[in-house]
Amino acid sequence: MNGTIDIASVGMVTSVGLDAPASCAAMRARLDGFRETRFTGARGEPLIGAPVSLPRDWVGERRIAHLAAGAISETLSGARIAGEQTALILCLAEEGRSGRPVRDASRLLRKIAEILEMAPHTKSRIISYGRPSGHAALEQARRLISSGEVANVVIAGVDSYLTPRTVRYYLDQSRLMTKFNPNGFIPGEAAAAVLCTKPGQGSLTLLGVGLAREPAAIYNKQDLPLRGEGMAAAYGVALRESRFAMVGIGYRISDLIGEQYWFKQTALAFLRQMRGHVDFQDLWSPGESIGNIGAAVVPTMIGMAFTAARKGYAAGNPVLIEASNDEGACGAAVVASRLS
């Protein structure tokens, strides 16, 4: 274990709000940002997505940079610290993903710094694992802070599935939700950020992080049956570090994007870790409101837990936050609020 860190502030730019309070209020009310896009489905029907309504019609990497900068700016202003004193860990889509909205990650990092009018910190880095990138970032953030290399780390995730090549690829794979395919996901886009600090400086504490790999990934070539072993292993590491058992978890937040595979994975992982009787344990997912937001999802889920604890509507304490990607990478984290 590499020690604990605190979450001191959060920021979001989503299809249901241009800041964290608006986004979290909308998700709590079960509102969604789903609407017809300029894309069409396999039979010519309008494709439903969850785009962000930005003040200007930016496209490409410029759009991604402004999404990320908006979330980071909110996070820094919420904690009233100078950006130059803070390392940035930027979470992005998988490098091999079709239609990935970022071609040059280093260039994106520079663009974000230009928008925020600050120089990139020498300890800043990029993680490109898609949805579970945020869990790998939490692991790196606590190492940086625990070692004394930096005082603060901003973990920011930004992603978009609303690019022509991405839409075409997932339509060809029959993985997008349409009126002809209920077992699919709604493509979305978003950015979210969280500020990680030393223990005692924030209201949400990271107690444990687990990373593992699922052998029966959604695209596994050996046609292995899904048993939830990878996510269960990630659960196990995070729970052991936090010194909680599954029965002690207040509720879970998962990156469920709509396909049956991910619901089955979560259910199997839960059953593999459960020992004894447990009362009802709520399960939240931002995907219900903002679709599949890829690498932005872990900071978004942490922001949901952070805001719920502060506003007094959390479904319990502590919270287990999970995410996984198409290649089988699985991540889990246990966070606890001192406000409950």
Side-chain angles (χ1 to χ4, degrees):
M1 182 173 175
N2 295 293
T4 62
I5 55 175
D6 277 8
I7 307 299
S9 63
V10 301
M12 292 184 200
V13 180
T14 73
S15 61
V16 292
L18 297 183
D19 58 28
S23 295
C24 289
M27 288 188 281
R28 183 189 181 194
R30 298 189 180 277
L31 302 178
D32 65 64
F34 304 150
R35 60 184 174 88
E36 292 184 357
T37 66
R38 59 190 175 93
F39 303 107
T40 55
R43 305 188 191 183
E45 75 281 6
L47 186 71
I48 301 299
V52 176
S53 298
L54 291 175
R56 295 178 61 181
D57 192 22
W58 291 297
V59 297
E61 284 189 5
R62 180 177 291 274
R63 181 178 183 83
I64 295 297
H66 278 278
L67 285 170
I72 295 168
S73 178
E74 181 186 358
T75 302
L76 293 175
S77 63
R80 298 180 182 176
I81 64 168
E84 293 82 0
Q85 302 171 359
T86 304
L88 172 64
I89 301 180
L90 187 60
C91 301
L92 301 175
E94 304 91 326
E95 291 186 3
R97 197 178 84 197
S98 183
R100 185 176 189 252
V102 177
R103 294 183 179 180
D104 188 328
S106 297
R107 183 174 63 197
L108 175 65
L109 199 61
R110 292 193 297 271
K111 283 184 178 181
I112 294 170
E114 289 174 7
I115 295 169
L116 295 172
E117 298 181 346
M118 68 182 199
H121 195 282
T122 55
K123 294 293 182 180
S124 293
R125 56 194 65 183
I126 295 161
I127 298 177
S128 301
Y129 299 144
R131 295 199 299 277
S133 295
H135 287 101
L138 286 170
E139 175 67 32
Q140 293 194 16
R142 69 178 182 177
R143 287 182 180 179
L144 287 170
I145 293 172
S146 297
S147 67
E149 294 181 67
V150 296
N152 308 295
V153 175
V154 167
I155 296 174
V158 62
D159 207 345
S160 176
Y161 278 79
L162 292 168
T163 70
R165 282 183 59 199
T166 298
V167 168
R168 189 181 314 117
Y169 174 79
Y170 286 104
L171 276 174
D172 290 344
Q173 297 289 319
S174 298
R175 290 192 57 192
L176 294 188
M177 181 178 288
T178 67
K179 64 181 181 180
F180 305 106
N181 179 32
N183 183 28
F185 67 82
I186 293 177
E189 62 180 2
V194 299
L195 175 66
C196 303
T197 66
K198 296 177 182 178
Q201 298 184 13
S203 56
L204 199 67
T205 300
L206 174 69
L207 299 180
V209 181
L211 300 168
R213 185 163 292 276
E214 171 57 55
I218 194 168
Y219 286 135
N220 86 85
K221 296 179 181 179
Q222 298 170 297
D223 200 26
L224 298 172
L226 176 63
R227 296 191 175 96
E229 294 171 352
M231 187 59 78
Y235 276 19
V237 175
L239 289 168
R240 283 193 298 273
E241 287 191 353
S242 69
R243 299 183 180 179
F244 277 91
M246 183 61 78
V247 293
I249 295 297
Y251 69 108
R252 290 178 291 154
I253 309 180
S254 175
D255 66 330
L256 301 173
I257 57 174
E259 295 168 294
Q260 294 175 4
Y261 176 95
W262 312 107
F263 287 93
K264 184 177 179 181
Q265 176 180 256
T266 296
L268 289 171
F270 175 81
L271 291 172
R272 284 181 173 275
Q273 284 294 334
M274 181 51 60
R275 301 290 184 274
H277 173 75
V278 63
D279 293 329
F280 173 76
Q281 193 179 88
D282 211 352
L283 178 63
W284 297 2
S285 175
E288 297 176 9
S289 293
I290 55 180
N292 185 358
I293 56 171
V297 75
V298 171
T300 297
M301 293 190 291
I302 295 172
M304 292 170 68
F306 180 92
T307 304
R310 282 208 161 180
K311 297 288 186 180
Y313 63 87
N317 192 38
V319 190
L320 191 150
I321 294 170
E322 66 171 79
S324 57
N325 68 13
D326 291 354
E327 284 71 47
C330 300
V334 177
V335 297
S337 167
R338 292 194 296 272
L339 301 176
S340 296

